[in-house]
Protein backbone atom coordinates (compact mmCIF):
# COMPACT_ATOMS: atom_id res chain seq x y z
CA UNK A 1 0.00 0.00 0.00
CA UNK A 2 1.11 3.52 -0.65
CA UNK A 3 1.02 6.38 1.83
CA UNK A 4 2.11 10.00 2.11
CA UNK A 5 3.27 11.88 5.19
CA UNK A 6 3.51 15.64 5.25
CA UNK A 7 5.54 16.90 8.18
CA UNK A 8 4.00 19.99 9.70
CA UNK A 9 0.32 20.70 9.28
CA UNK A 10 1.07 24.43 9.49
CA UNK A 11 4.12 26.32 8.25
CA UNK A 12 4.61 30.05 8.69
CA UNK A 13 7.22 32.08 6.81
CA UNK A 14 7.91 35.75 6.27
CA UNK A 15 7.40 37.29 2.85
CA UNK A 16 10.62 36.85 0.88
CA UNK A 17 11.82 33.90 2.95
CA UNK A 18 12.47 30.37 1.76
CA UNK A 19 9.48 28.04 1.64
CA UNK A 20 10.12 24.37 2.47
CA UNK A 21 7.22 21.93 2.70
CA UNK A 22 8.14 18.36 3.52
CA UNK A 23 6.71 15.20 1.99
CA UNK A 24 7.71 11.59 2.52
CA UNK A 25 6.06 8.66 0.82
CA UNK A 26 5.99 4.92 0.95
CA UNK A 27 5.59 2.91 -2.20
CA UNK A 28 6.31 -0.63 -3.28
CA UNK A 29 7.03 0.43 -6.86
CA UNK A 30 8.63 3.52 -8.40
CA UNK A 31 6.13 6.25 -7.68
CA UNK A 32 4.67 9.15 -9.55
CA UNK A 33 4.62 12.14 -7.22
CA UNK A 34 2.57 15.30 -7.25
CA UNK A 35 2.15 18.56 -5.39
CA UNK A 36 -1.23 20.26 -5.51
CA UNK A 37 -2.25 23.64 -4.08
CA UNK A 38 -5.70 24.49 -2.75
CA UNK A 39 -6.87 28.04 -2.21
CA UNK A 40 -9.86 28.69 0.08
CA UNK A 41 -13.13 27.35 -1.32
CA UNK A 42 -11.39 26.13 -4.44
CA UNK A 43 -10.51 22.78 -5.93
CA UNK A 44 -6.96 21.49 -6.17
CA UNK A 45 -4.55 22.83 -8.76
CA UNK A 46 -1.47 20.96 -9.91
CA UNK A 47 1.82 22.68 -9.00
CA UNK A 48 4.21 20.08 -10.36
CA UNK A 49 4.72 16.37 -10.81
CA UNK A 50 7.51 13.82 -11.04
CA UNK A 51 7.09 10.85 -13.34
CA UNK A 52 10.48 9.82 -14.70
CA UNK A 53 13.75 11.46 -15.70
CA UNK A 54 15.19 14.51 -14.00
CA UNK A 55 14.72 14.38 -10.26
CA UNK A 56 14.47 18.15 -9.86
CA UNK A 57 11.08 19.24 -11.09
CA UNK A 58 10.05 22.83 -11.71
CA UNK A 59 6.44 23.88 -11.44
CA UNK A 60 4.25 26.91 -11.63
CA UNK A 61 4.61 30.06 -9.51
CA UNK A 62 8.32 29.48 -8.89
CA UNK A 63 7.94 26.23 -6.97
CA UNK A 64 10.16 23.22 -7.42
CA UNK A 65 10.57 19.81 -5.82
CA UNK A 66 13.28 17.19 -5.76
CA UNK A 67 12.63 13.47 -5.85
CA UNK A 68 15.09 11.65 -3.55
CA UNK A 69 14.57 7.92 -3.82
CA UNK A 70 17.05 7.08 -1.05
CA UNK A 71 15.15 9.31 1.37
CA UNK A 72 11.68 8.53 -0.06
CA UNK A 73 11.09 12.26 -0.10
CA UNK A 74 9.64 14.85 -2.44
CA UNK A 75 9.97 18.16 -0.63
CA UNK A 76 8.54 21.35 -2.14
CA UNK A 77 10.56 24.56 -2.13
CA UNK A 78 10.34 28.15 -3.29
CA UNK A 79 13.25 30.57 -2.81
CA UNK A 80 11.16 33.60 -1.91
CA UNK A 81 7.64 33.48 -0.47
CA UNK A 82 4.94 35.82 -1.70
CA UNK A 83 1.74 36.72 0.10
CA UNK A 84 -0.22 35.05 -2.68
CA UNK A 85 1.43 31.71 -1.83
CA UNK A 86 -0.69 31.41 1.31
CA UNK A 87 -2.78 28.29 0.75
CA UNK A 88 -2.97 24.59 1.59
CA UNK A 89 -0.50 22.29 -0.13
CA UNK A 90 -0.98 18.59 -0.70
CA UNK A 91 1.58 15.99 -1.67
CA UNK A 92 0.26 12.91 -3.45
CA UNK A 93 1.55 9.61 -4.80
CA UNK A 94 0.23 7.53 -7.66
CA UNK A 95 1.53 4.01 -8.18
CA UNK A 96 -1.65 2.04 -8.54
CA UNK A 97 -3.00 2.96 -11.89
CA UNK A 98 -3.85 6.62 -11.95
CA UNK A 99 -5.24 6.81 -8.42
CA UNK A 100 -3.88 9.49 -6.10
CA UNK A 101 -3.20 9.00 -2.40
CA UNK A 102 -2.89 12.36 -0.66
CA UNK A 103 -1.05 13.46 2.43
CA UNK A 104 -2.82 15.35 5.16
CA UNK A 105 -1.84 18.73 3.79
CA UNK A 106 0.28 21.65 5.01
CA UNK A 107 -1.21 25.08 5.46
CA UNK A 108 1.29 27.74 4.45
CA UNK A 109 0.97 31.16 6.07
CA UNK A 110 3.00 34.10 4.79
CA UNK A 111 3.64 37.02 7.12
CA UNK A 112 4.22 40.52 5.77
CA UNK B 1 -11.18 24.95 -22.08
CA UNK B 2 -13.95 24.59 -19.54
CA UNK B 3 -12.97 23.01 -16.25
CA UNK B 4 -14.66 20.36 -14.15
CA UNK B 5 -18.11 21.57 -13.16
CA UNK B 6 -19.80 20.55 -9.93
CA UNK B 7 -23.13 21.41 -8.39
CA UNK B 8 -24.37 22.39 -5.98
CA UNK B 9 -21.54 24.32 -4.31
CA UNK B 10 -23.08 24.04 -0.88
CA UNK B 11 -25.67 21.76 0.69
CA UNK B 12 -27.04 21.50 4.21
CA UNK B 13 -29.20 18.52 5.11
CA UNK B 14 -30.39 16.78 8.22
CA UNK B 15 -29.04 13.38 9.16
CA UNK B 16 -30.89 10.45 7.60
CA UNK B 17 -31.86 12.58 4.59
CA UNK B 18 -30.55 11.83 1.12
CA UNK B 19 -28.44 14.07 -1.12
CA UNK B 20 -26.99 13.94 -4.61
CA UNK B 21 -24.05 15.71 -6.20
CA UNK B 22 -23.44 16.23 -9.89
CA UNK B 23 -20.20 16.43 -11.85
CA UNK B 24 -19.46 17.26 -15.46
CA UNK B 25 -15.83 16.46 -16.35
CA UNK B 26 -13.64 18.15 -18.91
CA UNK B 27 -14.70 17.18 -22.40
CA UNK B 28 -12.88 14.09 -23.64
CA UNK B 29 -11.63 12.98 -20.23
CA UNK B 30 -12.38 9.30 -19.88
CA UNK B 31 -11.33 8.97 -16.25
CA UNK B 32 -13.48 10.48 -13.50
CA UNK B 33 -12.93 10.44 -9.74
CA UNK B 34 -14.90 11.32 -6.64
CA UNK B 35 -12.93 12.32 -3.56
CA UNK B 36 -14.11 13.08 -0.04
CA UNK B 37 -12.19 15.79 1.83
CA UNK B 38 -12.97 16.04 5.52
CA UNK B 39 -11.99 19.34 7.15
CA UNK B 40 -8.30 19.37 7.98
CA UNK B 41 -7.48 16.25 5.96
CA UNK B 42 -6.31 15.41 2.48
CA UNK B 43 -8.76 14.16 -0.13
CA UNK B 44 -9.63 10.48 0.01
CA UNK B 45 -10.60 8.61 -3.14
CA UNK B 46 -14.13 7.22 -3.07
CA UNK B 47 -14.53 5.89 -6.60
CA UNK B 48 -12.81 5.94 -9.98
CA UNK B 49 -14.56 5.51 -13.33
CA UNK B 50 -13.03 4.74 -16.69
CA UNK B 51 -15.68 5.80 -19.19
CA UNK B 52 -18.86 4.37 -17.62
CA UNK B 53 -17.15 1.45 -15.88
CA UNK B 54 -15.98 1.37 -12.27
CA UNK B 55 -12.21 0.91 -11.88
CA UNK B 56 -12.04 1.12 -8.10
CA UNK B 57 -14.68 1.66 -5.44
CA UNK B 58 -12.94 -0.09 -2.57
CA UNK B 59 -13.22 2.94 -0.28
CA UNK B 60 -16.83 3.78 -1.10
CA UNK B 61 -19.19 3.04 1.84
CA UNK B 62 -21.58 1.09 -0.30
CA UNK B 63 -24.24 0.75 2.35
CA UNK B 64 -25.03 4.44 1.97
CA UNK B 65 -23.04 5.83 -0.95
CA UNK B 66 -23.65 5.16 -4.63
CA UNK B 67 -22.26 6.66 -7.80
CA UNK B 68 -22.96 6.31 -11.46
CA UNK B 69 -21.60 7.63 -14.71
CA UNK B 70 -24.16 6.98 -17.36
CA UNK B 71 -22.97 7.35 -20.96
CA UNK B 72 -19.42 7.87 -19.71
CA UNK B 73 -19.70 11.62 -19.27
CA UNK B 74 -21.58 13.20 -16.33
CA UNK B 75 -21.57 11.55 -12.95
CA UNK B 76 -23.69 11.67 -9.82
CA UNK B 77 -22.74 10.72 -6.28
CA UNK B 78 -25.54 9.96 -3.85
CA UNK B 79 -25.66 9.53 -0.10
CA UNK B 80 -28.67 7.84 1.44
CA UNK B 81 -29.12 8.12 4.37
CA UNK B 82 -26.60 10.76 5.41
CA UNK B 83 -24.73 10.65 8.71
CA UNK B 84 -23.09 13.48 10.63
CA UNK B 85 -19.64 12.12 9.70
CA UNK B 86 -20.43 12.60 6.01
CA UNK B 87 -19.93 16.35 6.44
CA UNK B 88 -17.10 17.11 4.05
CA UNK B 89 -16.23 18.62 0.70
CA UNK B 90 -16.87 16.25 -2.18
CA UNK B 91 -14.45 16.81 -5.02
CA UNK B 92 -14.85 15.56 -8.55
CA UNK B 93 -11.81 15.26 -10.81
CA UNK B 94 -11.15 14.07 -14.33
CA UNK B 95 -8.11 12.95 -16.25
CA UNK B 96 -7.31 12.43 -19.90
CA UNK B 97 -4.88 9.58 -19.36
CA UNK B 98 -5.65 6.00 -18.38
CA UNK B 99 -2.27 5.22 -16.87
CA UNK B 100 -0.47 6.61 -13.84
CA UNK B 101 1.20 9.97 -13.89
CA UNK B 102 -1.53 11.84 -15.68
CA UNK B 103 -2.77 15.12 -14.27
CA UNK B 104 -6.14 15.10 -12.56
CA UNK B 105 -8.15 18.31 -12.89
CA UNK B 106 -10.38 19.12 -9.93
CA UNK B 107 -13.69 20.90 -9.66
CA UNK B 108 -14.41 23.41 -6.91
CA UNK B 109 -16.23 20.82 -4.86
CA UNK B 110 -19.54 20.55 -3.04
CA UNK B 111 -19.45 21.38 0.64
CA UNK B 112 -21.91 19.14 2.50
CA UNK B 113 -22.98 19.88 6.04
CA UNK B 114 -25.07 17.26 7.82
CA UNK B 115 -26.86 18.54 10.93
Amino acid sequence: AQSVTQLGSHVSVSEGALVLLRCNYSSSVPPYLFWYVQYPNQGLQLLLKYTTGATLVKGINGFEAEFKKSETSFHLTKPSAHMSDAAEYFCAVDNAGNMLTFGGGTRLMVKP
Amino acid sequence: EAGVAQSPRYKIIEKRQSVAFWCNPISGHATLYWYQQILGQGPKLLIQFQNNGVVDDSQLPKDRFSAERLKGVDSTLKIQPAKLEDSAVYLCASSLYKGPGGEAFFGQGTRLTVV
Side-chain angles (χ1 to χ4, degrees), chain B residues 5-107:
Chain B
Q6 291 189 247
S7 67
R9 286 296 312 277
Y10 305 92
K11 190 74 177 179
I12 301 175
I13 63 172
E14 296 182 349
K15 59 183 179 183
R16 292 187 290 274
Q17 285 187 324
S18 62
V19 65
F21 313 128
W22 174 82
C23 172
N24 182 239
I26 293 172
S27 178
H29 283 196
T31 307
L32 184 146
Y33 314 82
W34 283 102
Y35 285 87
Q36 179 193 57
Q37 186 178 18
I38 293 173
L39 185 65
Q41 299 180 18
K44 182 185 81 172
L45 179 69
L46 292 175
I47 189 167
Q48 177 187 357
F49 291 95
Q50 185 70 26
N51 296 310
N52 60 351
V54 175
V55 174
D56 187 285
D57 63 357
S58 58
Q59 298 192 81
L60 186 73
K62 299 180 187 63
D63 58 333
R64 298 184 300 107
F65 286 64
S66 64
E68 60 182 11
R69 191 183 183 196
L70 299 176
K71 300 180 182 179
V73 181
D74 293 7
S75 177
T76 56
L77 176 69
K78 298 179 181 178
I79 307 175
Q80 181 179 6
K83 293 185 175 182
L84 295 177
E85 59 260 36
D86 298 333
S87 294
V89 176
Y90 291 85
L91 294 166
C92 179
S94 69
S95 175
L96 180 62
Y97 299 103
K98 293 182 182 180
E103 178 180 355
F105 293 82
F106 285 80

Side-chain angles (χ1 to χ4, degrees), chain A residues 38 41-43 49 98-99, chain B residues 9 33 48 97 99 101 108:
Chain A
Q38 187 176 36
N41 298 315
Q42 298 293 320
K49 68 177 181 179
N98 213 10
M99 288 183 284
Chain B
R9 286 296 312 277
Y33 314 82
Q48 177 187 357
Y97 299 103
Q108 291 184 300

